[in-house]
Amino acid sequence: MADTEPFYIYFYSGHKGQFGHEFFRFEIDEKGRLSYANDSKYRRDSLIEKSLKLSPTMLNEIKRIVEDSEIMNESDDKWPRRDDVNGRINLEIIIGKRKINFETAKISSLSDIVDTRDPEGLRVLYYLIQDFKCLIMSLISLHFKIKPIA
């Protein structure tokens, strides 16, 4: 994983429902720019957008997480198609010359994938997404903390 190789991650999970278009989205580029957006109309919340710069060490850790997940070896051919009612997931990753661009129905829990044609591939996707969400939310929380930790 050379530092000069192309690197990009785009993730989107969203749906249009009772409260309008609600989504969680983030994007990371090879320069370490992390852009985050979360729009929930529940309880009249509004769009939250944050952007920050990741260190080279953090960028390398994110690349390691992607590599260790083996998501780059998966295919979405047998995954459920997007569902405009229940939502969709998009995941695009570029590492060097390898690229994936997946789109599938929104996964709310592991029980959603049990009876699919590719439960193992969707399990890999599900756990990678959970890792990403935890990491991104932790980074956003730490970076934009109002009161510094003493």
Side-chain angles (χ1 to χ4, degrees):
M1 290 184 287
D3 288 340
T4 58
E5 70 183 0
F7 178 71
Y8 176 77
I9 296 176
Y10 173 82
F11 173 76
Y12 167 92
S13 176
H15 69 278
K16 293 178 184 173
Q18 174 181 355
F19 300 104
H21 183 205
E22 298 179 300
F23 64 88
F24 174 91
R25 178 184 72 221
F26 71 85
E27 188 173 17
I28 302 171
D29 67 22
E30 62 194 24
K31 294 179 181 174
R33 184 173 174 266
L34 165 62
S35 299
Y36 160 84
N38 190 346
D39 195 7
S40 174
K41 304 292 191 257
Y42 180 70
R43 292 190 175 174
R44 298 189 178 131
D45 287 343
S46 60
L47 177 65
I48 299 168
E49 291 182 292
K50 303 286 184 184
S51 184
L52 59 102
K53 176 92 165 101
L54 300 172
S55 71
T57 303
M58 181 53 66
L59 207 52
N60 285 333
E61 182 62 16
I62 292 170
K63 290 177 186 179
R64 186 198 61 76
I65 290 169
V66 170
E67 294 290 346
D68 286 355
S69 76
E70 298 186 356
I71 192 72
M72 303 301 281
N73 300 327
E74 298 298 333
S75 168
D76 65 349
D77 291 342
K78 296 180 181 177
W79 294 359
R81 294 293 149 223
R82 68 185 272 178
D83 181 340
D84 290 330
V85 175
N86 296 317
R88 67 183 166 97
I89 292 174
N90 287 91
L91 177 65
E92 180 180 359
I93 300 176
I94 300 170
I95 297 182
K97 295 180 180 179
R98 297 181 305 155
K99 177 180 179 176
I100 61 167
N101 193 348
F102 295 150
E103 182 176 74
T104 189
K106 190 171 178 183
I107 304 169
S108 298
S109 70
L110 283 175
S111 64
D112 293 345
I113 67 173
V114 173
D115 294 326
T116 64
R117 294 183 349 188
D118 185 14
E120 182 58 32
L122 285 167
R123 189 180 66 74
V124 170
L125 176 68
Y126 177 81
Y127 282 120
L128 178 61
I129 289 168
Q130 295 308 309
D131 288 346
F132 278 154
K133 283 183 177 181
C134 288
L135 179 62
I136 299 303
M137 295 309 294
S138 295
L139 290 169
I140 295 293
S141 177
L142 287 169
H143 189 79
F144 293 100
K145 199 107 177 122
I146 294 175
K147 293 182 180 179
I149 298 171

